[in-house]
mmCIF file of all heavy atoms in Angstrom:
data_model
loop_
_atom_site.group_PDB
_atom_site.id
_atom_site.type_symbol
_atom_site.label_atom_id
_atom_site.label_comp_id
_atom_site.label_asym_id
_atom_site.label_seq_id
_atom_site.Cartn_x
_atom_site.Cartn_y
_atom_site.Cartn_z
ATOM 1 N N VAL F 1 3.756 -58.300 -45.579
ATOM 2 C CA VAL F 1 2.826 -57.893 -44.508
ATOM 3 C C VAL F 1 3.612 -57.239 -43.364
ATOM 4 O O VAL F 1 3.193 -56.183 -42.870
ATOM 5 C CB VAL F 1 2.004 -59.142 -43.971
ATOM 6 C CG1 VAL F 1 1.263 -58.718 -42.699
ATOM 7 C CG2 VAL F 1 1.044 -59.560 -45.037
ATOM 8 N N VAL F 2 4.711 -57.846 -42.958
ATOM 9 C CA VAL F 2 5.503 -57.281 -41.877
ATOM 10 C C VAL F 2 6.005 -55.876 -42.196
ATOM 11 O O VAL F 2 5.979 -54.963 -41.393
ATOM 12 C CB VAL F 2 6.747 -58.203 -41.554
ATOM 13 C CG1 VAL F 2 7.711 -57.576 -40.595
ATOM 14 C CG2 VAL F 2 6.262 -59.570 -41.042
ATOM 15 N N GLU F 3 6.490 -55.723 -43.479
ATOM 16 C CA GLU F 3 6.995 -54.391 -43.841
ATOM 17 C C GLU F 3 5.888 -53.324 -43.930
ATOM 18 O O GLU F 3 6.103 -52.148 -43.624
ATOM 19 C CB GLU F 3 7.723 -54.496 -45.219
ATOM 20 C CG GLU F 3 9.043 -55.240 -45.157
ATOM 21 C CD GLU F 3 10.038 -54.626 -44.202
ATOM 22 O OE1 GLU F 3 10.096 -53.372 -44.107
ATOM 23 O OE2 GLU F 3 10.851 -55.346 -43.642
ATOM 24 N N GLN F 4 4.695 -53.745 -44.311
ATOM 25 C CA GLN F 4 3.571 -52.795 -44.383
ATOM 26 C C GLN F 4 3.192 -52.417 -42.961
ATOM 27 O O GLN F 4 2.749 -51.266 -42.713
ATOM 28 C CB GLN F 4 2.376 -53.374 -45.127
ATOM 29 C CG GLN F 4 2.687 -53.848 -46.559
ATOM 30 C CD GLN F 4 3.599 -52.917 -47.328
ATOM 31 O OE1 GLN F 4 3.417 -51.670 -47.346
ATOM 32 N NE2 GLN F 4 4.657 -53.457 -47.949
ATOM 33 N N CYS F 5 3.302 -53.294 -42.037
ATOM 34 C CA CYS F 5 3.057 -53.000 -40.620
ATOM 35 C C CYS F 5 4.044 -51.950 -40.118
ATOM 36 O O CYS F 5 3.705 -50.998 -39.458
ATOM 37 C CB CYS F 5 3.165 -54.229 -39.717
ATOM 38 S SG CYS F 5 1.758 -55.398 -39.945
ATOM 39 N N ARG F 6 5.325 -52.138 -40.502
ATOM 40 C CA ARG F 6 6.332 -51.166 -40.192
ATOM 41 C C ARG F 6 6.002 -49.809 -40.798
ATOM 42 O O ARG F 6 6.161 -48.778 -40.099
ATOM 43 C CB ARG F 6 7.685 -51.607 -40.731
ATOM 44 C CG ARG F 6 8.370 -52.739 -39.934
ATOM 45 C CD ARG F 6 9.721 -53.089 -40.531
ATOM 46 N NE ARG F 6 10.407 -54.019 -39.666
ATOM 47 C CZ ARG F 6 11.212 -53.673 -38.669
ATOM 48 N NH1 ARG F 6 11.360 -52.377 -38.378
ATOM 49 N NH2 ARG F 6 11.812 -54.551 -37.931
ATOM 50 N N ASN F 7 5.528 -49.772 -42.019
ATOM 51 C CA ASN F 7 5.150 -48.546 -42.648
ATOM 52 C C ASN F 7 4.077 -47.808 -41.914
ATOM 53 O O ASN F 7 4.023 -46.549 -41.827
ATOM 54 C CB ASN F 7 4.793 -48.762 -44.097
ATOM 55 C CG ASN F 7 5.962 -49.153 -45.024
ATOM 56 O OD1 ASN F 7 7.074 -48.903 -44.608
ATOM 57 N ND2 ASN F 7 5.696 -49.731 -46.146
ATOM 58 N N ILE F 8 3.112 -48.530 -41.401
ATOM 59 C CA ILE F 8 2.036 -47.933 -40.604
ATOM 60 C C ILE F 8 2.613 -47.342 -39.289
ATOM 61 O O ILE F 8 2.212 -46.274 -38.894
ATOM 62 C CB ILE F 8 0.912 -48.972 -40.302
ATOM 63 C CG1 ILE F 8 0.256 -49.385 -41.613
ATOM 64 C CG2 ILE F 8 -0.079 -48.409 -39.288
ATOM 65 C CD1 ILE F 8 -0.731 -50.541 -41.417
ATOM 66 N N ILE F 9 3.475 -48.134 -38.655
ATOM 67 C CA ILE F 9 4.003 -47.660 -37.382
ATOM 68 C C ILE F 9 4.863 -46.386 -37.567
ATOM 69 O O ILE F 9 5.060 -45.637 -36.618
ATOM 70 C CB ILE F 9 4.806 -48.817 -36.711
ATOM 71 C CG1 ILE F 9 3.850 -49.976 -36.431
ATOM 72 C CG2 ILE F 9 5.496 -48.354 -35.390
ATOM 73 C CD1 ILE F 9 4.576 -51.270 -35.929
ATOM 74 N N LYS F 10 5.394 -46.222 -38.764
ATOM 75 C CA LYS F 10 6.180 -45.027 -39.034
ATOM 76 C C LYS F 10 5.357 -43.742 -39.124
ATOM 77 O O LYS F 10 5.911 -42.676 -39.084
ATOM 78 C CB LYS F 10 6.930 -45.168 -40.359
ATOM 79 C CG LYS F 10 8.049 -46.257 -40.333
ATOM 80 C CD LYS F 10 8.621 -46.413 -41.780
ATOM 81 C CE LYS F 10 9.628 -47.580 -41.787
ATOM 82 N NZ LYS F 10 10.123 -47.814 -43.202
ATOM 83 N N THR F 11 4.043 -43.879 -39.263
ATOM 84 C CA THR F 11 3.224 -42.679 -39.510
ATOM 85 C C THR F 11 3.002 -41.886 -38.219
ATOM 86 O O THR F 11 2.901 -42.467 -37.102
ATOM 87 C CB THR F 11 1.830 -43.066 -40.067
ATOM 88 O OG1 THR F 11 1.108 -43.890 -39.150
ATOM 89 C CG2 THR F 11 2.015 -43.901 -41.334
ATOM 90 N N ALA F 12 2.824 -40.577 -38.393
ATOM 91 C CA ALA F 12 2.604 -39.687 -37.211
ATOM 92 C C ALA F 12 1.304 -39.957 -36.483
ATOM 93 O O ALA F 12 1.302 -39.979 -35.244
ATOM 94 C CB ALA F 12 2.625 -38.254 -37.701
ATOM 95 N N PRO F 13 0.169 -40.210 -37.177
ATOM 96 C CA PRO F 13 -1.061 -40.477 -36.423
ATOM 97 C C PRO F 13 -0.947 -41.676 -35.459
ATOM 98 O O PRO F 13 -1.442 -41.623 -34.306
ATOM 99 C CB PRO F 13 -2.088 -40.722 -37.505
ATOM 100 C CG PRO F 13 -1.568 -40.053 -38.695
ATOM 101 C CD PRO F 13 -0.106 -40.185 -38.615
ATOM 102 N N VAL F 14 -0.365 -42.721 -35.888
ATOM 103 C CA VAL F 14 -0.235 -43.949 -35.080
ATOM 104 C C VAL F 14 0.728 -43.680 -33.880
ATOM 105 O O VAL F 14 0.389 -43.991 -32.749
ATOM 106 C CB VAL F 14 0.267 -45.150 -35.952
ATOM 107 C CG1 VAL F 14 0.630 -46.306 -34.999
ATOM 108 C CG2 VAL F 14 -0.799 -45.512 -36.902
ATOM 109 N N GLN F 15 1.868 -43.074 -34.145
ATOM 110 C CA GLN F 15 2.870 -42.816 -33.083
ATOM 111 C C GLN F 15 2.285 -41.850 -32.054
ATOM 112 O O GLN F 15 2.417 -42.103 -30.843
ATOM 113 C CB GLN F 15 4.175 -42.254 -33.718
ATOM 114 C CG GLN F 15 4.925 -43.186 -34.549
ATOM 115 C CD GLN F 15 6.278 -42.622 -34.990
ATOM 116 O OE1 GLN F 15 6.846 -41.839 -34.234
ATOM 117 N NE2 GLN F 15 6.749 -43.045 -36.123
ATOM 118 N N LYS F 16 1.646 -40.802 -32.491
ATOM 119 C CA LYS F 16 1.107 -39.776 -31.552
ATOM 120 C C LYS F 16 -0.035 -40.313 -30.727
ATOM 121 O O LYS F 16 -0.135 -40.103 -29.554
ATOM 122 C CB LYS F 16 0.760 -38.518 -32.317
ATOM 123 C CG LYS F 16 1.934 -37.805 -32.899
ATOM 124 C CD LYS F 16 1.518 -36.746 -33.916
ATOM 125 C CE LYS F 16 0.913 -35.542 -33.265
ATOM 126 N NZ LYS F 16 0.672 -34.473 -34.266
ATOM 127 N N CYS F 17 -0.926 -41.076 -31.388
ATOM 128 C CA CYS F 17 -2.075 -41.636 -30.666
ATOM 129 C C CYS F 17 -1.649 -42.646 -29.685
ATOM 130 O O CYS F 17 -2.119 -42.679 -28.486
ATOM 131 C CB CYS F 17 -3.055 -42.244 -31.662
ATOM 132 S SG CYS F 17 -4.642 -42.782 -30.901
ATOM 133 N N TYR F 18 -0.648 -43.461 -30.055
ATOM 134 C CA TYR F 18 -0.212 -44.481 -29.076
ATOM 135 C C TYR F 18 0.520 -43.866 -27.937
ATOM 136 O O TYR F 18 0.357 -44.349 -26.778
ATOM 137 C CB TYR F 18 0.714 -45.497 -29.818
ATOM 138 C CG TYR F 18 1.083 -46.670 -28.909
ATOM 139 C CD1 TYR F 18 0.224 -47.716 -28.680
ATOM 140 C CD2 TYR F 18 2.320 -46.684 -28.217
ATOM 141 C CE1 TYR F 18 0.532 -48.727 -27.842
ATOM 142 C CE2 TYR F 18 2.692 -47.729 -27.365
ATOM 143 C CZ TYR F 18 1.769 -48.756 -27.170
ATOM 144 O OH TYR F 18 2.071 -49.812 -26.350
ATOM 145 N N ALA F 19 1.294 -42.853 -28.166
ATOM 146 C CA ALA F 19 1.966 -42.140 -27.071
ATOM 147 C C ALA F 19 1.022 -41.516 -26.063
ATOM 148 O O ALA F 19 1.257 -41.554 -24.848
ATOM 149 C CB ALA F 19 2.885 -41.052 -27.618
ATOM 150 N N GLU F 20 -0.125 -41.137 -26.528
ATOM 151 C CA GLU F 20 -1.160 -40.409 -25.693
ATOM 152 C C GLU F 20 -2.097 -41.436 -25.081
ATOM 153 O O GLU F 20 -2.461 -41.305 -23.879
ATOM 154 C CB GLU F 20 -1.855 -39.416 -26.461
ATOM 155 C CG GLU F 20 -2.939 -38.637 -25.682
ATOM 156 C CD GLU F 20 -3.713 -37.681 -26.502
ATOM 157 O OE1 GLU F 20 -3.322 -37.419 -27.669
ATOM 158 O OE2 GLU F 20 -4.793 -37.179 -26.068
ATOM 159 N N LYS F 21 -2.607 -42.448 -25.865
ATOM 160 C CA LYS F 21 -3.675 -43.257 -25.438
ATOM 161 C C LYS F 21 -3.343 -44.757 -25.354
ATOM 162 O O LYS F 21 -4.190 -45.534 -24.949
ATOM 163 C CB LYS F 21 -4.903 -43.074 -26.380
ATOM 164 C CG LYS F 21 -5.334 -41.619 -26.555
ATOM 165 C CD LYS F 21 -6.426 -41.486 -27.595
ATOM 166 C CE LYS F 21 -6.797 -39.994 -27.755
ATOM 167 N NZ LYS F 21 -7.813 -39.821 -28.800
ATOM 168 N N LYS F 22 -2.211 -45.129 -25.800
ATOM 169 C CA LYS F 22 -1.762 -46.533 -25.808
ATOM 170 C C LYS F 22 -2.525 -47.403 -26.767
ATOM 171 O O LYS F 22 -2.638 -48.636 -26.600
ATOM 172 C CB LYS F 22 -1.790 -47.135 -24.383
ATOM 173 C CG LYS F 22 -0.818 -46.473 -23.408
ATOM 174 C CD LYS F 22 0.598 -46.596 -23.964
ATOM 175 C CE LYS F 22 1.574 -45.951 -23.020
ATOM 176 N NZ LYS F 22 2.983 -45.975 -23.581
ATOM 177 N N PHE F 23 -3.040 -46.809 -27.784
ATOM 178 C CA PHE F 23 -3.660 -47.543 -28.934
ATOM 179 C C PHE F 23 -3.528 -46.557 -30.154
ATOM 180 O O PHE F 23 -3.399 -45.346 -29.913
ATOM 181 C CB PHE F 23 -5.120 -47.986 -28.644
ATOM 182 C CG PHE F 23 -6.078 -46.813 -28.462
ATOM 183 C CD1 PHE F 23 -6.641 -46.150 -29.580
ATOM 184 C CD2 PHE F 23 -6.507 -46.369 -27.189
ATOM 185 C CE1 PHE F 23 -7.534 -45.122 -29.393
ATOM 186 C CE2 PHE F 23 -7.404 -45.371 -27.009
ATOM 187 C CZ PHE F 23 -7.920 -44.717 -28.148
ATOM 188 N N PRO F 24 -3.612 -47.115 -31.319
ATOM 189 C CA PRO F 24 -3.893 -48.501 -31.708
ATOM 190 C C PRO F 24 -2.627 -49.402 -31.735
ATOM 191 O O PRO F 24 -1.539 -48.929 -31.706
ATOM 192 C CB PRO F 24 -4.412 -48.350 -33.157
ATOM 193 C CG PRO F 24 -3.588 -47.180 -33.720
ATOM 194 C CD PRO F 24 -3.467 -46.233 -32.526
ATOM 195 N N ILE F 25 -2.908 -50.736 -31.720
ATOM 196 C CA ILE F 25 -1.909 -51.755 -31.882
ATOM 197 C C ILE F 25 -1.979 -52.203 -33.374
ATOM 198 O O ILE F 25 -3.036 -52.341 -33.949
ATOM 199 C CB ILE F 25 -2.149 -52.924 -30.961
ATOM 200 C CG1 ILE F 25 -2.181 -52.457 -29.516
ATOM 201 C CG2 ILE F 25 -1.065 -54.005 -31.172
ATOM 202 C CD1 ILE F 25 -0.893 -51.842 -29.024
ATOM 203 N N VAL F 26 -0.794 -52.474 -33.972
ATOM 204 C CA VAL F 26 -0.749 -52.903 -35.341
ATOM 205 C C VAL F 26 -0.473 -54.435 -35.410
ATOM 206 O O VAL F 26 0.439 -54.915 -34.668
ATOM 207 C CB VAL F 26 0.381 -52.169 -36.115
ATOM 208 C CG1 VAL F 26 0.452 -52.623 -37.566
ATOM 209 C CG2 VAL F 26 0.084 -50.619 -36.108
#
């Protein structure tokens, strides 16, 4: 589960959205 969370955080949509809007949280 922890490694899959890491894999999600590595994705561009999550990184870019968090940088702009401070969400989503994984």
Side-chain angles (χ1 to χ4, degrees):
V1 169
V2 172
E3 290 299 328
Q4 305 319 312
C5 289
R6 285 181 172 273
N7 289 341
I8 292 172
I9 298 170
K10 292 174 185 176
T11 64
V14 171
Q15 291 187 31
K16 293 167 71 174
C17 187
Y18 187 79
E20 179 184 348
K21 304 175 182 178
K22 295 302 178 183
F23 65 81
I25 302 295
V26 179

